[in-house]
Each structure stands twice: as C-alpha cells, then as structure tokens.
Amino acid sequence: MDKIKDYKRSDPVMNDASSASDKLVILAGLLHDIGKIIRRTGSPKRHEQLSAELIKQYSEVFEKIGVNVDKLIHLIICHHYQRTHEPRCEPPDELLQYLIKADHASAPERLGSKKPGGIITNKLVSPLWVKYYYEKYGGKYSEDEVRRIVSKSRICYEPIPLTSISRYGKSVDIIRKVYKATHCSAVNEEQLKIRYREIVKDIREFLERISELLSKDLLDSETFIDTLTNYLRYALLLVPDDIYWTILPDTSLSSHLILTAAIAYATYKGKTNKIRLGLLDLSGIQAFISSLGKTKGALRQIRGRSILLQLIMRASARYLLDKLGLSSISLVLLRGDNALFILPDREDTVNKFHKAIAEINTSLYEIFHGNIYVSGALSEPFKPEYTMPWSPDHGTKGFSKALLEINERTGLDKYRKLGKISKYIVQKQNAVLNNQSIPEQCDICRITALNNELIHLRNIDANNNSLLKKLPFLKNLKQDEIERICPACLLSHLAGSTAENLEFVVEIEDQEITEELYREITGKTEPKLLPSQPKDIKLAPLPLPGLHRTYILLSIKPGKPINNPCEVWEILRNTLVEIIIKGIIYEYYSDFSSKDKQPRKRINVNILRVNDPPSMLPPKGIYFEKIKIADIEVTYGFANIFINFTSKVTNELDDLGKVSEDLDRYTYISWIKTDIDHMGLTGLYLSGSIGRYMTMSELVNFYTNMIGYRILNYRVIHPRTTPTNISDYAIVVFSGGDDTFIISRYAEGLSYLKHYRSWFRDFFGEIIDKKNDKEEKEELLTLSAGYFISEADYPAYLSYRKVIEKLETAKNEGRNLVDISFLEIGKNVFELIKSKQQIPPLKSMSWYIFENIVDLSIDKEIIEWIKNNRVLSFKIMIMLKNIAETIYMILVNQKTNKTAQPSIENLYKRLAENIIAYSYIYAKIINTSRGKTIKKIMNKVSERLACTPASPKEYIDLFNKNDLKELFKSASAFYRLLHLVQLRIKENI
C-alpha cells in the first residue's frame, strides 16, 4: 500500500470539468476557416457560414466533450462581423474579440489590395520567395516585381489530400510526382474543385470516425483537441490559407488555424493583447549518440538513442505545458530537438517556465548524468505584429523580435547547462560519496558513475535470479557480455531492440506508473508490472521518471504477415487492452481500498501511429471499449509520430554490410549526415510573420520526416548483383527538423543520398528570374552532406565523428556540396581555405557531379572497360588526382598571396609535368582498340558531367589558356568516377 500512500491526483489540464471558455476559444480558432475548403469546391456561401454548417452537422462530436455548439457557431459566424455587419454579432463578447485579434495576428502578411482578383496563383506559394526577394532586391518592395518573379517560378504546391500517401502505398515514383513544387500558374477551376472535394471527403471521414470514438466516451476534451490539431497539421499543410483576398497565398491553412487557436487561447488566458514565445531546446545530442565504447550492439544502441531522445523531447514539452497548466494547443511546433510555444502573458508564466525546466533537467540528470539537458527561454511580452524583412521595424517588434530574443536567450542558457538543476541531486551525490560508494563505468558508453547509479545485470538476489533472468527483453545484453549499464544505455537498448517494423508508440501519462516501471527496469524492485512479450509483436517500455510519462514501443515481429491496416490495429487493440490497460494500469491501481479512495483520476493513453499520418485513427471495424478500473478512468488520444525505422532485423553494423544472405562476405558501411543550409538565416527572414515561419518549418518537417522515410522504398540497381530495396540495407537513424542521419551498406547509401538530394530539389523548387535578358534559376533551399565509408568493425563512435567532420567540410567549402570520404581529393595539399565560390571546393563536390557519377558508376560499358584495364585505369585515376590537387594548390596560393614553398612557378611546373605524364600514357593506347573505347567513354562522361573531356589535347589547351577551374572540374570529376567504379568492381556490388 506504499504506492497508495504516495498517490497524487494528476488529471490532465483540460477535462470535462475544465473551463468551457477554454474549449470554445481553442475550437473556434481551429475550425473558424475550415469552411474555406468547402467553398473552394464551388459553394457560393461565405466560408464562415460553411464552417458553421459543418460543425452543426457534427454537433454530437462537440456536445460529447461539453462544448456549447450554439456558442461555438456564434464565434465562427461572427469572426468576420466587421465585414459582414451581422446584427447578431454586436456587441462582440470577450471571446469573440480575442478570436478576431488572433485571426488577424496569425495572417497579417496577406499582401495586395482588398479586392478579389488580384491573386497571382491559387496554389500555396513557398514562403522562401521572401528570402530570395530580400537577398536580390534589398529593402524596396515592388508588387510588380513580386508578380513577375513568382508567376514564372517553380515554388508552389497543389492542394493534395493527406490520404493520397496511403492510396499510393509504396509507389514512391508516383508519390514523388505528387509531392513536389510546381510552377505557380493557377490550377484550372474544375481541377481545383475536384482536389478540394477529395479534401472535404477526408475531413468528413475524420469527423465521422472521431464521432464513433467519442460515442464510446474514449476521448476527453483535451485529447480530442490534441487529436484534431494533429490531423489538421498534416491534412491541410499544402492548402493555402487564402486565395481570394491576397496576391500571394504563402501561409498554409493548417498553420493559420493552429496559430489562431494558440494566440486566441494565450490572449484569453492572459487577459491581455500580448503574448510570449517560449523555446525548449534539447542539448548534448551529438556527444550522446557517439559515446559508444563497444562495437558489438552499436547499431542497436545508436538507433535506440535516437528514438529515446525524440521521446524525451516530446515528454519534456508536454511536461512543461502540464506545469504551466495549459492546453497542448500552446505547443505550435515540435521538432526533433526543440519545441516552440505560444504562451499567455501572466504573472506566474516566467517563474513556472523556469521552474519546469529545472525539474526537467533534474529528471534527465538521473538518466543521463548531465550528458543530455534542456535549455529554454521566454520572450518579452509582445503584441503579435507583422514586420516585413525589408522594413526598418524588422527585428525590433512583433514576432521577429520575439524569435530573436528566444534564440539568443536559449543560446546563453546552454552555457549555464545544469545551473538550474535541483539541489536534491547535489545533496544525493554528497550523501552517496560520504558512504564511500565506488565509482564504476558503464560497459557501453564508458561513463563513470557511482556504483548505485549503474544497473548490475548479473548480480544474484536471494532467489538466485539476476536482472537478466527477470527481464527477458534484456537477453541481447547477455549476448553482448554486458554486466554494468547506465540508465540511458539501458533505455536505449530497449528502444533499439524494438525498432524493426515499429508500428505504434503508446504514451501513458501517469507519474506513479512511470516511477514504478522505472524502479522495476532498473532492478530497484521486483518486476510486477513489466509486460510479457506477446505472440506477434515485440514490446518495450520506456519509463521517463520525473517527466511523468511512459512510452511503450510496439513493433511487428519478423515473419508475421500483415495484409491490411486493420490487422495492425487489431494487434494493437488486443495488446493495449490485455497488456497495457489491464496488465499495467489495472495491476498498479487494483489494490485501492475504500478508505484510501481518492477523487476520480483520469489517465491519458495516447496512441501514436509511426510515420503514417493518414492512419492515425483506428479504421472502421476496429472498436475500442471504454475501460474503467475502480475509480480510474482511461481516455485515449490519437496522433502521428515520425521516428526512426527499419524493415529488417539489424542489431549489428555488419548485418548492414552483408553482401548477401547466402554468402559470409561483407562490404563497406556508409554513414551519412545531411543538413539544410542557412536555416537560421532563413528563419530570420521569415520571422516577421509567424504564419510564414510555421509554414516553412512544417514543410521542412514534412520533407525530412515523411519523404525521408519514403525514399527507403526505392529500388537500387547493382551492376553485378540483383536489385535491392534501400530499406533492405539501410536504417534511418534520425530524419526530422533540418537534418538526417543514415547508416547503410555503401551502395544503398549512395542511392539514398542521390534520391534524397534530387527529391529535395524537386520539393522545395526554384526561382526563375529574368535579368538583363537572361533567365536565371536559383534553388530556394540547399543541402549539404557528409558521407563516410568504413569497415563494419570500425569503431562506431569514430565513424560518427568522421561523418560529422565530412558534413562540416562540405559546409566550410561553400555549402550545397557533398563530401564523400573515399572520393576526396587533397591529402597532399599543404593548405585549405574556406571558399566562398572564388575557389572550387577540394574535398567536396557539387550535387550535380555526385548524382551523375553515381548513375555513371553502374554503366555497363564503363564497368567492363575498367574491369578489363585495371592497371591502366588505376594509373589514369592517380594522374587525374595529382592534376586536380596541383591546380588547387595554385588557386589557393594565388588567392592567399602566399610566398611559402612550393612557389607558384614550381606548382605550374609540377602541373605541366603531370599533364605530360598523362599525355604519354594516353598516347600509348589511343590508337588501339582499348583507346577507341576510352575515347567513347570520355565523351559520354564529359557530356553527363558537363565538363571538358579528359583528353590530353583538351587539358593542354586549358593549361595554355590558364583556365585552371575548368581543368580542375574535369580532372576531379573523372577521378571520382573512376574511383567509384573501381570500388564497385572490387566489392562486386
């Protein structure tokens, strides 16, 4: 009964007894413009009238969560009363005033006249046009210039229903044709109506399914709001907010609805027209992921650490809202390592915010010993005003100032690291030290911790049992010969062991259950609640003590055939009811006695569908029942979560490097890191409008999350073996925010990176601008990448550090480049400088060269020639590399005016000698049958790579003209192609 004595009521922030006004103002914000979708199908009615009609049609949905439907309709009908002059709307009440101001604040960037007909396009325009216009045209805004640029560019998105992703299944080529930027010419009116009818159909199906779930009393008002927000976030991302009253619809309807609800809620709760922005940032990620002292089990650990950190970020953000007493609508952006909040300006906001951060860090310290921590900051209170990036007010008021403040303050807070940590931790450490506890190391990450802070897996208890015997899901640790493990590595192990075919993450929001599960997992108490492994799925609990949340990962066991989505949901329902609800929640609270009876407690269980937003709700035919246990009531919420995924059981790095299942032969492993360039600067340009800022952030999230995972479905063509799927030999360790981290077999890694970059270019589009009678194309967003290749038994922590170095090199050499370790040039170069495009990159290459050499490296004619002329092709490759390195040294010497040795004269002499030696080898074979083939290949390659053929005559001409940049481009490109083909031949894949 000890757990009963310590029982504390921890109801959700908003339930049936919560403020009716809170629910009204949030739902009015989320649904006030939903009628725009219906109007675009051809309805002559005003959008607010159509929104009201939709709500009335599904009135039972809102009545079930205690919302006064008449008042909700009144708010929606009247939010444009200043234009419509509806008599019933005057005088506006308090909630209506907050809604109207929030509506204006979330879309103040609408440009152009107030007369319809001035619109450039009826598609969503990428907010990145602002960045381009500011950089190219400076501080003067011209509507005519904007019209000219946007109307010709490929930076727009057609409205696509979310279910199209499920409809196309794994047909990645079809999905790619749908999810990309298009030219901004307006969509035909009839086609537009068809698109919006599909979206309306989606919305109605969602509301009907939600109605069924509510009829069983499965959701409360807060979980309903959370579920609705998650649906709108993805369903309306590519739908423009306004296509009638603005010339440039560059804010998505999903961003506008969520921001309107968040701002209206914040101003209402603060009883003022001012709000605050809050930022929560997770720090220490790179060091934690790379801190691996063992190669065995490293892949499982890396994968598990990524999952654990994503869940830590989610739990921390939601814990912060709990402590502030606010609805989840206040969390407007949740990315991989940070969260953005819109908060009320109340007297207690600052103290509660910083106190919550200290509590989060205290709980994280118990798990991570200071390696992972959160930083956070609040802006000063501000009126949500719009500032154009070319105006003098930009950065001095409104959202632009607030975003600058929170980023600067969070950066300063990182330096304090654990300065706000609870004194309890220090006292606890001193008490342990006084007892002369012996420091020991975790066998996985090598962190030094006190003896009682590590989990001893093999210690025998009175019943002759060790923790490894008590907890069967730790059996891999026995095979890995682990004896002592820290809590962070243990949780990472559990997460990594369940990542194959991961389908669901179940979130239990309960402090007492979380703490009990954590005690059981760490061996502090006998396991009673820890679930057994079901027949068809793998299951792992991840309790996060102090954050009051437990995450249970559910994945389908290999070999279990799944024929349709209903089967997956059926398995989840059975597991949820029997193991999670009855086996954990019921088991924990079953011994409540009448004398200890507490007020009714509600436990939220959120079901998070992995990487599949269209399937976040259970399909028809899958029924959940309301479960009440004693005085405990369980309610559900539904959402999507993007998390790392693999379709193959791979716990070891060499599993990825296996050439085939039949042969005991292994090839190289690739480590890939990508990062979107200048995202901080891009955010600064867009920060004057919170709508644009959020739209851009969500587009980036959509690409790195949704599309980053879909690329795994591409087929890889190998020149000497049968084709494979990328997913067969690749793991997306992390993809979200503005970066991606992949581990794969080297050939699949090259293919993944090629598709990732080319789809990236298609998705974010390009500006087409005509200057001086010349048409110029410019990508609006660029990408840098590092690619490191290693043997499967090379230490994992070194590989991770190396790929980070490669990414940094690509950025330092000019960005929008890729640095591939085995294709580098420059080991003999005496000096490198940070290039700003005046000097070609040395170690890195352009994406154009990279994509084409990957394609050419599987050309059968090229492969056969090199295979039949290995010695000759190797000599040519080395000579081309020497030529490229010498040219680079000349360019560096000229740029920096160095007088050090070797001198420019000696470098030119060396270059001439290299070209002469190359000419000698070339001349010996050019008149033979081998020479005719190489000439044909040289011409084919130069055409694809858009560079000068690698023939001595061409090289001598370029040398005499002193066109060193073109000579460098040709020599380096041909060298890299020859090297890659030789690697493919050597590895036979």
Side-chain angles (χ1 to χ4, degrees), residues 126 271 318 321 445 478 616 694 853:
S126 170
K271 303 300 179 184
R318 296 176 78 87
L321 289 177
C445 68
K478 183 177 182 180
M616 59 178 272
M694 183 168 172
I853 67 169

Side-chain angles (χ1 to χ4, degrees), residues 20-21 23-25 27-28 52 55 62 66-79 93 95-96 99:
S21 297
K23 290 181 275 192
L24 274 173
V25 75
L27 290 171
I55 289 169
F62 305 98
V67 172
N68 186 313
V69 176
D70 291 336
K71 288 185 178 180
L72 179 59
I73 289 174
H74 173 79
L75 288 174
I76 288 173
I77 286 287
C78 295
H79 80 276
D93 60 24
L95 289 183
L96 181 56
L99 178 64

Side-chain angles (χ1 to χ4, degrees), residues 114-154:
K114 294 298 180 182
K115 297 184 296 183
I119 191 170
I120 294 175
T121 180
N122 51 16
K123 302 175 185 176
L124 175 67
V125 180
S126 170
L128 288 170
W129 76 268
V130 173
K131 174 177 178 285
Y132 175 84
Y133 189 84
Y134 179 77
E135 291 177 341
K136 299 299 180 182
Y137 293 89
K140 293 183 179 180
Y141 172 74
S142 166
E143 183 177 316
D144 291 338
E145 288 288 349
V146 171
R147 284 180 178 277
R148 179 183 63 79
I149 295 168
V150 172
S151 61
K152 293 182 179 181
S153 297
R154 188 176 61 84

Side-chain angles (χ1 to χ4, degrees), residues 431-445:
V432 173
L433 286 171
N434 290 336
N435 289 330
Q436 297 182 337
S437 180
I438 301 172
E440 292 182 332
Q441 279 191 335
C442 169
D443 288 341
I444 293 179
C445 68

Side-chain angles (χ1 to χ4, degrees), residues 659-759:
V659 173
S660 72
E661 296 301 325
D662 302 327
L663 300 174
D664 189 23
R665 190 167 69 81
Y666 298 86
T667 187
Y668 293 106
I669 302 297
S670 64
W671 298 65
I672 304 168
K673 280 279 289 182
T674 72
D675 190 65
I676 300 176
D677 299 323
H678 298 302
M679 276 303 292
L681 188 60
T682 300
L684 179 63
Y685 288 138
L686 302 181
S687 63
S689 159
I690 193 67
R692 284 183 186 145
Y693 182 89
M694 183 168 172
T695 298
M696 192 64 244
S697 297
E698 292 290 18
L699 286 171
V700 169
N701 273 339
F702 182 84
Y703 184 83
T704 55
N705 283 317
M706 177 69 76
I707 295 176
Y709 289 106
R710 295 285 163 175
I711 291 172
L712 289 173
N713 294 323
Y714 268 112
R715 295 282 282 170
V716 184
I717 304 300
H718 303 291
R720 303 175 67 81
T721 57
T722 56
T724 60
N725 282 337
I726 294 178
S727 60
D728 293 338
Y729 294 96
I731 288 177
V732 179
V733 178
F734 175 76
S735 189
D738 60 356
D739 63 344
T740 297
F741 174 31
I742 312 291
I743 304 177
S744 69
R745 193 167 68 172
Y746 90 89
E748 281 73 14
L750 290 170
S751 182
Y752 184 94
L753 190 55
K754 187 194 82 166
H755 288 300
Y756 189 91
R757 156 61 190 173
S758 60
W759 198 340

Side-chain angles (χ1 to χ4, degrees), residues 705-967:
N705 283 317
M706 177 69 76
I707 295 176
Y709 289 106
R710 295 285 163 175
I711 291 172
L712 289 173
N713 294 323
Y714 268 112
R715 295 282 282 170
V716 184
I717 304 300
H718 303 291
R720 303 175 67 81
T721 57
T722 56
T724 60
N725 282 337
I726 294 178
S727 60
D728 293 338
Y729 294 96
I731 288 177
V732 179
V733 178
F734 175 76
S735 189
D738 60 356
D739 63 344
T740 297
F741 174 31
I742 312 291
I743 304 177
S744 69
R745 193 167 68 172
Y746 90 89
E748 281 73 14
L750 290 170
S751 182
Y752 184 94
L753 190 55
K754 187 194 82 166
H755 288 300
Y756 189 91
R757 156 61 190 173
S758 60
W759 198 340
F760 181 92
R761 182 180 59 242
D762 291 346
F763 185 79
F764 291 105
E766 59 187 2
I767 284 282
I768 302 174
D769 196 2
K770 194 171 184 180
K771 293 182 178 179
N772 302 322
D773 297 325
K774 183 181 179 182
E775 190 174 84
E776 296 181 0
K777 296 182 179 180
E778 182 172 326
E779 295 176 32
L780 288 179
L781 211 58
T782 60
L783 184 76
S784 296
Y787 180 109
F788 179 71
I789 191 171
S790 69
E791 298 279 1
D793 59 355
Y794 190 73
Y797 76 95
L798 288 179
S799 295
Y800 185 78
R801 292 177 186 178
K802 290 287 186 182
V803 76
I804 296 295
E805 289 176 10
K806 299 299 151 200
L807 177 59
E808 289 303 315
T809 300
K811 287 184 171 290
N812 289 337
E813 290 194 332
R815 287 183 166 82
N816 198 23
L817 301 167
V818 54
D819 180 14
I820 299 181
S821 60
F822 68 96
L823 299 183
E824 278 185 347
I825 302 171
K827 291 182 179 178
N828 302 317
V829 175
F830 65 91
E831 181 181 3
L832 299 176
I833 68 168
K834 291 186 178 180
S835 169
K836 293 187 178 178
Q837 316 248 325
Q838 294 94 340
I839 295 179
L842 179 65
K843 292 178 176 290
S844 311
M845 72 182 92
S846 71
W847 285 108
Y848 180 84
I849 296 293
F850 167 76
E851 290 171 20
N852 279 284
I853 67 169
V854 170
D855 287 340
L856 288 167
S857 69
I858 59 173
D859 184 285
K860 291 183 179 179
E861 185 179 29
I862 296 174
I863 290 172
E864 283 303 309
W865 189 88
I866 293 176
K867 183 181 177 184
N868 296 329
N869 298 274
R870 291 194 179 185
V871 174
L872 177 62
S873 63
F874 182 79
K875 287 181 179 180
I876 291 174
M877 181 187 77
I878 295 302
M879 289 178 179
L880 290 172
K881 182 182 181 185
N882 290 338
I883 289 171
E885 288 183 346
T886 306
I887 293 170
Y888 189 84
M889 285 192 284
I890 293 172
L891 293 173
V892 169
N893 211 318
Q894 290 174 340
K895 179 67 180 174
T896 57
N897 296 316
K898 292 285 186 181
T899 58
Q901 297 297 324
S903 65
I904 287 184
E905 291 77 10
N906 288 333
L907 289 172
Y908 268 106
K909 182 181 178 181
R910 183 190 300 177
L911 178 58
E913 291 170 349
N914 287 332
I915 293 175
I916 291 169
Y918 178 60
S919 302
Y920 176 76
I921 295 291
Y922 197 91
K924 287 182 66 175
I925 63 165
I926 193 60
N927 295 320
T928 66
S929 58
R930 293 187 298 170
K932 293 178 182 178
T933 305
I934 191 175
K935 188 173 182 181
K936 179 182 176 183
I937 290 173
M938 291 290 189
N939 290 331
K940 178 197 292 188
V941 172
S942 65
E943 184 178 344
R944 283 291 298 274
L945 300 181
C947 64
T948 302
S951 69
K953 181 180 181 304
E954 301 287 352
Y955 278 17
I956 292 170
D957 287 345
L958 290 173
F959 179 80
N960 290 332
K961 294 176 184 176
N962 202 30
D963 191 352
L964 299 185
K965 290 185 180 179
E966 179 59 31
L967 186 51

Side-chain angles (χ1 to χ4, degrees), residues 345-371:
D345 176 25
R346 299 190 301 202
E347 289 184 6
D348 61 349
T349 297
V350 176
N351 288 336
K352 285 185 175 180
F353 183 88
H354 292 297
K355 183 180 178 183
I357 288 179
E359 291 171 355
I360 292 169
N361 277 328
T362 300
S363 63
L364 294 183
Y365 190 91
E366 299 243 17
I367 299 173
F368 297 98
H369 296 89
N371 289 332

